[in-house]
Amino acid sequence: MAAGRRIPEATVSRLPLYLRVLGEANGHIDTISSETLAHRAGVNAAQVRKDLSYLGSYGTRGVGYDVPYLIRQINRRLGLDGDRRVAIVGAGNLGQALASYGGFPARGFHVVAAFDADPAKVGQTVGTTRVEPVAAMAEVLRERGADIAVITTPAPAAQAVADTLVEAGIRSILNFAPTTVVVPDHVALRQVDLGIELQILSFYQQTIVTSVAGL
Amino acid sequence: MAAGRRIPEATVSRLPLYLRVLGEANGHIDTISSETLAHRAGVNAAQVRKDLSYLGSYGTRGVGYDVPYLIRQINRRLGLDGDRRVAIVGAGNLGQALASYGGFPARGFHVVAAFDADPAKVGQTVGTTRVEPVAAMAEVLRERGADIAVITTPAPAAQAVADTLVEAGIRSILNFAPTTVVVPDHVALRQVDLGIELQILSFYQQTIVTSVAGL
DNA sequence: GCTTGTGAAATCTTTCACAGCA
DNA sequence: TGCTGTGAAAGATTTCACAAGC
């Protein structure tokens, strides 16, 4: 295979999962086999080897993969080596949960702004930032150089918020509002719907250990 | 194809998405074509037809699918016709966000219990229930007949909580804690990791409109 | 005429199995 | 000897394209 190849989508969706397992192993062990990594990630060892082979030949036969080195390679290939600046729109419970979520800084995601339409919320502190009024969004986003926006507003507000974000130059949006938003083609959008998670869980009443997303 | 067949996993993961689109259309239109449904769900029309064909032949040629009827059929096939009783463990911001999330009752998910280890939180009201102490978990779960548990605790507490839930007879667990928990084979587990969502979003800086989960 | 339902083709993904190297 | 890297086989999923039915 070798380093230059385009990575299949299915592989991309598993790499962050490997990253999590590797992060947990890092410091405890120097080297990890495809077998162990696969077991902890809940997938097949051949799959791990094939997935990693799309990045290049970073393992050592007879030994395994060097943990910190592999972490760096995956991060690099996923474009996660630099830091990302995240803005949260909607300072309700979910917005606050995300703003103060400790796992973000460790992965290079920094919450640089939070917004809310409710004047009572403006000025409050969530995580490490102050809540700003939605009216100031375009200006604040530009000032602080936000890369990614997370929508945690009620459904009726979501589309208008998305429009404003796109106008302000945001290129990646993670939408938690329980409604679909429409964005232009150059914007990456991921819709996270917990209702759907619960429905799928209900359907699979039997052992389906699947890592889906990643709080 | 016809009704009796086993539904492919990929189809199962899309049915709740169709359900959401259909729910939004219901009341506005009587009938929907595979084309329209596909467009709103962000997938291909042939895919919608193939997916729905696993449920049986519920469409009408030249017309489309009857919206309320199709909703009932999908719900029935996913085993979502009855109500589900949900318990939330961890009454922090995320737990509170879920407890008061309006989309749950509409989909038949009722939050019947909430727990927290912090004595200061016990007795508070989240959504429509009172927060109970973690020590009372087994008893309260049985009393209220919870089917599904959602873990929204900090990472270090997650495994112990999962163990208690399993002992108490819970068969489906949705885990939001940023760590993997291990459960016996008869328990359905879904791990939702927002960090992974953000990482994948960062990688696909170009138009990828994907519905993943469902808040 | 319009839209479903579905075999068949094309594509993508996973798994196997083993040669190759430390 | 042990474990990676990878072609090739097997399996799953998606897309095509069109006959069938309203």
Side-chain angles (χ1 to χ4, degrees), chain B residues 51-106:
Chain B
D51 284 342
L52 296 181
S53 79
Y54 291 115
L55 306 179
S57 299
Y58 296 137
T60 307
R61 290 162 201 241
V63 179
Y65 301 87
D66 182 87
V67 174
Y69 183 69
L70 186 56
I71 289 174
R72 276 201 306 284
Q73 296 311 321
I74 298 178
N75 270 320
R76 192 173 51 75
R77 201 65 169 73
L78 289 179
L80 298 171
D81 24 17
D83 280 7
R84 300 272 166 174
R85 303 163 80 78
V86 180
I88 294 177
V89 189
N93 278 317
L94 183 58
Q96 289 178 42
L98 297 181
S100 51
Y101 174 55
F104 283 170

Side-chain angles (χ1 to χ4, degrees), chain B residues 158-210:
Chain B
Q159 183 62 58
V161 165
D163 294 344
T164 309
L165 289 171
V166 170
E167 265 176 62
I170 288 288
R171 300 267 307 275
S172 303
I173 298 175
L174 191 58
N175 179 29
F176 279 92
T179 186
T180 310
V181 301
V182 180
V183 295
D185 276 4
H186 68 277
V187 178
L189 172 68
R190 265 182 107 80
Q191 173 74 30
V192 179
D193 186 328
L194 182 67
I196 291 183
E197 284 303 324
L198 267 184
Q199 290 176 346
I200 296 177
L201 180 66
S202 296
F203 181 71
Y204 289 121
Q205 210 72 353
Q206 302 294 328
T207 325
I208 289 148
V209 183
T210 317

Side-chain angles (χ1 to χ4, degrees), chain A residues 185 189 193-196 207 213-215, chain B residues 185 193-196 207 213-215:
Chain A
D185 276 3
L189 173 67
D193 186 328
L194 182 68
I196 290 182
T207 323
L215 186 63
Chain B
D185 276 4
D193 186 328
L194 182 67
I196 291 183
T207 325
L215 184 60

Side-chain angles (χ1 to χ4, degrees), chain A residues 137-178:
Chain A
M137 206 152 70
E139 193 192 332
V140 174
L141 288 175
R142 253 185 284 261
E143 265 174 30
R144 307 196 188 164
D147 305 302
I148 298 177
V150 182
I151 301 178
T152 55
T153 63
Q159 183 62 59
V161 165
D163 293 344
T164 309
L165 290 171
V166 170
E167 265 176 62
I170 289 289
R171 300 265 307 275
S172 303
I173 298 175
L174 191 59
N175 179 29
F176 280 92

